[in-house]
Amino acid sequence: MSTPLAEGLHARPAPGPDRAPLRLVDQFQLGLDAPICLTWELTYACNLACVHCLSSSGRRDPRELTTAECRSLIDEFERMQVFYVNIGGGEPTVRADFWDLVEYATGHHVGVKFSTNGSRLTPDVAALLARNPSVDVQISLDGATADVNDAVRGSGSFSTAVTAMERLAAAGFAGFKLSVVVTRHNISQLDEFAAIAARYSAQLRLTRLRPSGRGADVWDELHPTADQQRRLYDWLVARGESVLTGDSFFHLAGYGDPLPGLNLCGAGRVVCLVDPVGDVYACPFAIHDEFLAGNVRSPGGFAAVWKDSDRFATLRAPDTGGACRSCGLYDACRGGCMAAKFFTGLPLDGPDPECVLGHGEAALGIRDAGGRAGVPAPSQDHSRRSRADHTALGAGPGRTPSRTVEQVPVALVPRRPDRACDESPLAGLRTTHGPR
């Protein structure tokens, strides 16, 4: 992969006169001195209840970072040269201070991309966003038709998302993203998704369904079949770079040439997640105590967590590859997604559950034979259902209800990044960030 970022990185010295410096991808595996971009879940409050929600969102956590704390965190991002934050939730626009925080971030050299269901994008807001070149928007849609989308995201959510796209297009906001989580029920609609994006001068972005949060309860039912995975890969190859994937599908690289992007797990190395209460996790798809690295409210703040966390140090250690190392395709897929393995009860040094050679399917069969007792539950559940409901709706044998926290309802109140973080956290950026 060639990127201008490589020009600004400080390569580690070659270990000997006859050996070349580490490849860029190897440097990223060892971690950088600051994340290039990160995901920031501003709130767990949400006016929808998507069945596959990564963070089990619904209710606001009363311990949310205050506006002042959010601004201080943005100041840290600026000092560390974090180029972009991908803001999500929950539905981030329900925070009364959301638009103020977006302005504060962009005014402090931190670009903002935020994901939304579109319910708060009025014509006036759309016009405001279209005038701000430091903000990008992702509209979430998981079906190209209302019946497919609303079965996952809730009744009326298709119409809401389409209305938001119409308003952005009418305001002249070209190039916003149409963000789709690929499932076995919408994978036949890929061409239709591309047509919707073209209709509104948007760009299609496909992401992988992860068994995280409430997604763990529906992953067995919704994740694409092996045949569908192959058809998805072929479709993405044919589309070239016109469709964004955000490194979601590097586990498919074993089919042939890698898809555009970093094509490795950047968890704790070049990316991480900050949740609404300031907890820092290695990965946006791994909100679990196992991957908790620290909290921004601790002494030293976010910078200390990033630089000194034992959890991140473990992730940055040289990867032995585990059981996958003997596979001839290991260098292509790097063993797949850490979160997908963890939340399906597979070992982190084993195959991805959607391994293209079928090793993951075999591992899942062994797991099921053992009664799924090793499948972890999410650490927290912010869904708008009771703990008793969660127990009744648990994800099957061996799963335990998620730990809940005291929650309160939230009231709803009313220089764009240059596609960075679309294909790779590193695309098109110049920086002096060096490996740790």
Side-chain angles (χ1 to χ4, degrees), residues 195-220:
I196 292 173
R199 184 181 311 147
Y200 299 111
S201 299
Q203 189 166 23
L204 179 60
R205 184 175 191 267
L206 302 181
T207 59
R208 182 182 180 184
L209 174 69
R210 259 80 170 201
S212 308
R214 287 197 296 269
D217 297 340
V218 297
W219 186 83
D220 288 337

Side-chain angles (χ1 to χ4, degrees), residues 102-127:
V102 169
E103 267 209 42
Y104 189 83
T106 57
H108 286 76
H109 311 102
V110 178
V112 170
K113 181 198 300 277
F114 71 92
S115 298
T116 177
N117 57 42
S119 60
R120 311 302 296 171
L121 290 187
T122 65
D124 287 344
V125 167

Side-chain angles (χ1 to χ4, degrees), residues 267-318:
R269 301 176 175 104
V270 296
V271 296
C272 65
L273 172 131
V274 179
D275 85 348
V277 301
D279 282 339
V280 182
Y281 295 88
C283 170
F285 311 114
I287 305 176
H288 189 278
D289 292 346
E290 179 72 17
F291 304 102
L292 178 61
N295 188 284
V296 302
R297 286 169 165 154
S298 300
F302 174 78
V305 175
W306 179 262
K307 295 175 181 177
D308 302 327
S309 160
D310 290 339
R311 165 52 60 189
F312 285 170
T314 300
L315 291 171
R316 293 164 186 165

Side-chain angles (χ1 to χ4, degrees), residues 307-367:
K307 295 175 181 177
D308 302 327
S309 160
D310 290 339
R311 165 52 60 189
F312 285 170
T314 300
L315 291 171
R316 293 164 186 165
D319 190 355
T320 63
C324 289
R325 192 68 191 188
S326 61
C327 176
L329 299 181
Y330 175 76
D331 285 340
C333 76
R334 299 275 172 164
C337 174
M338 175 183 74
K341 289 185 273 191
F342 179 78
F343 285 114
T344 52
L346 301 186
L348 296 184
D349 62 353
D352 188 287
E354 295 178 304
C355 166
V356 301
L357 295 183
H359 298 314
E361 186 176 357
L364 291 173
I366 296 172
R367 173 206 68 179

Side-chain angles (χ1 to χ4, degrees), residues 352-428:
D352 188 287
E354 295 178 304
C355 166
V356 301
L357 295 183
H359 298 314
E361 186 176 357
L364 291 173
I366 296 172
R367 173 206 68 179
D368 291 342
R372 301 174 63 112
V375 180
S379 295
Q380 297 183 10
D381 187 357
H382 299 269
S383 303
R384 292 193 300 273
R385 62 192 184 204
S386 70
R387 188 180 183 120
D389 290 337
H390 180 81
T391 302
L393 296 173
R399 295 295 302 277
T400 56
S402 303
R403 173 167 54 85
T404 57
V405 297
E406 181 186 359
Q407 296 157 339
V408 296
V410 64
L412 299 183
V413 297
R415 214 176 62 238
R416 194 176 310 147
D418 186 19
R419 297 185 181 176
C421 303
D422 287 331
E423 284 305 311
S424 160
L426 314 161

